[in-house]
Amino acid sequence: MEKSNLDKLLKNQRGMLLAYDHGFEHGPSDFDERSVDPEWIIKIAESGYFTGVIFQKGIASKYYDPEKNKVPLIIKMNGKTSFHKDEEPLSLSNCSVDEAVNLGAVAIGYTIYVGSEHEQKMIDEFAGIEEEAHSKGLAVIGWMYPRGKKIKSDTDKDTLAYAARLGLELNADAVKIKYTGDPESFRWVVDSAGKTKVFVVGGDKSSIEEIIKTTSEIVKAGAVGWAIGRNIWQSNDPISTAKRISKELYK
Ligand code: FBP
């Protein structure tokens, strides 16, 4: 059986990953003067409430020090800019597994736009990365995002269950996926992922009450926790927001 480093990203079988690859995916428009600085994000990630932090290689290389920083690193391997808002997205790798290892990563992340007409290219690239990452002791997380004109709704229960199942079929240790909106339907998504753990995507900024409510629902449905960005570092007080979410997650 392949060894996985996913346990390094979990505490009591729950986890909260701080996502910060938005400068690549959306551009700096998601940031303000405080959150544009990766040093500030590392401070939030090191607050004790996060079990991992997600960076593209450039931020990791210039800001993350594996000797000093305690929060485990996940390197996001692929990405695309928002200039290509085409209906059939494609995202390809810009980093090697060896580079992720050298940067101090315990895991890699890779987006597959499930349903896109370019899906197969991402599946093929993911397969090679998965094999190499596992052979080098890294955990593998699939960002399983249904997109493209074949996808009617990216929060549909059966569509998300299919995307989660694809993560299991491709040997991801965890998937990062959207919430369906209710715990009963999300339970089917989690069940479909089998032994592949489920992290939920934070999404656009919403109220803290909404995030706390969703936290209790996703835990009830069997997810391990969040991979969350904007709802943390766009909040007025990111560390106390993280503390409140973490309290609910570990209840
Ligand atoms: P958020 O919690 O801010 O939604 O971050 C999760 C994430 O998956 C990021 O890793 C990524 O940059 C972004 O959302 C992609 O969002 P989208 O593809 O919807 O534009």
Side-chain angles (χ1 to χ4, degrees), residues 19 21-22 25-26 113 143 145 147 176 201-203 227-230:
D21 56 337
H22 305 63
E25 297 289 336
H26 301 158
Y113 291 113
W143 272 224
Y145 289 2
R147 294 275 160 92
K176 178 174 185 298
V201 176
I228 189 167
R230 287 164 285 182

Side-chain angles (χ1 to χ4, degrees), residues 119-139:
E119 173 196 89
Q120 195 60 46
K121 288 195 188 107
M122 291 171 275
I123 290 177
D124 289 351
E125 190 172 63
F126 178 89
I129 289 173
E130 175 275 317
E131 204 179 313
E132 188 181 351
H134 276 145
S135 77
K136 291 178 175 162
L138 273 70

Side-chain angles (χ1 to χ4, degrees), residues 17 19-26 30 54 76 80 82 85 111 113 143 145 147 154 176 178 200-205 226-234:
L17 312 179
Y20 189 69
D21 56 337
H22 305 63
F24 196 132
E25 297 289 336
H26 301 158
D30 277 356
I54 302 159
K76 183 71 199 312
K80 64 160 184 53
S82 66
K85 278 205 169 47
T111 302
Y113 291 113
W143 272 224
Y145 289 2
R147 294 275 160 92
D154 68 353
K176 178 174 185 298
K178 271 198 176 180
V200 173
V201 176
D204 294 342
K205 177 95 168 40
W226 288 105
I228 189 167
R230 287 164 285 182
N231 276 287
I232 300 294
W233 40 258
Q234 285 181 353

Side-chain angles (χ1 to χ4, degrees), residues 187-203:
R187 160 68 64 184
W188 178 241
V189 176
V190 174
D191 287 350
S192 299
K195 286 188 178 176
T196 294
K197 309 281 187 201
V198 174
F199 288 96
V200 173
V201 176

Side-chain angles (χ1 to χ4, degrees), residues 37-232:
D37 182 4
E39 299 278 12
W40 167 235
I41 301 300
I42 291 194
K43 280 208 182 80
I44 301 169
E46 298 261 273
S47 61
Y49 302 113
F50 292 94
T51 58
V53 67
I54 302 159
F55 292 141
Q56 284 272 352
K57 70 172 183 184
I59 304 274
S61 156
K62 291 185 167 46
Y63 294 88
Y64 181 90
D65 179 351
E67 302 289 310
K68 196 180 107 216
N69 295 127
K70 290 188 182 61
V71 64
L73 174 68
I74 300 138
I75 289 286
K76 183 71 199 312
M77 303 290 275
N78 64 339
K80 64 160 184 53
T81 69
S82 66
F83 294 111
H84 304 276
K85 278 205 169 47
D86 49 68
E87 290 191 330
E88 303 301 322
L90 170 66
S91 180
L92 293 174
S93 170
N94 57 63
C95 183
S96 68
V97 173
D98 281 339
E99 205 169 355
V101 171
N102 291 339
L103 290 167
V106 303
I108 60 94
Y110 187 100
T111 302
I112 298 180
Y113 291 113
V114 181
S116 162
E117 84 186 21
H118 305 297
E119 173 196 89
Q120 195 60 46
K121 288 195 188 107
M122 291 171 275
I123 290 177
D124 289 351
E125 190 172 63
F126 178 89
I129 289 173
E130 175 275 317
E131 204 179 313
E132 188 181 351
H134 276 145
S135 77
K136 291 178 175 162
L138 273 70
V140 173
I141 307 176
W143 272 224
M144 307 305 284
Y145 289 2
R147 294 275 160 92
K149 56 179 178 291
K150 290 189 178 65
I151 302 297
K152 289 187 187 71
S153 158
D154 68 353
T155 53
D156 171 64
K157 170 190 167 189
D158 293 324
T159 305
L160 285 171
Y162 199 163
R165 187 67 175 201
L166 183 61
L168 169 64
E169 298 281 354
L170 289 169
N171 202 22
D173 302 297
V175 289
K176 178 174 185 298
I177 207 158
K178 271 198 176 180
Y179 182 45
T180 52
D182 70 88
E184 289 73 31
S185 64
F186 202 60
R187 160 68 64 184
W188 178 241
V189 176
V190 174
D191 287 350
S192 299
K195 286 188 178 176
T196 294
K197 309 281 187 201
V198 174
F199 288 96
V200 173
V201 176
D204 294 342
K205 177 95 168 40
S206 51
S207 71
I208 179 69
E209 290 73 25
E210 189 60 33
I211 293 289
I212 298 294
K213 177 175 168 279
T214 307
T215 305
S216 89
E217 291 179 2
I218 62 171
V219 167
K220 192 172 158 204
V224 291
W226 288 105
I228 189 167
R230 287 164 285 182
N231 276 287
I232 300 294

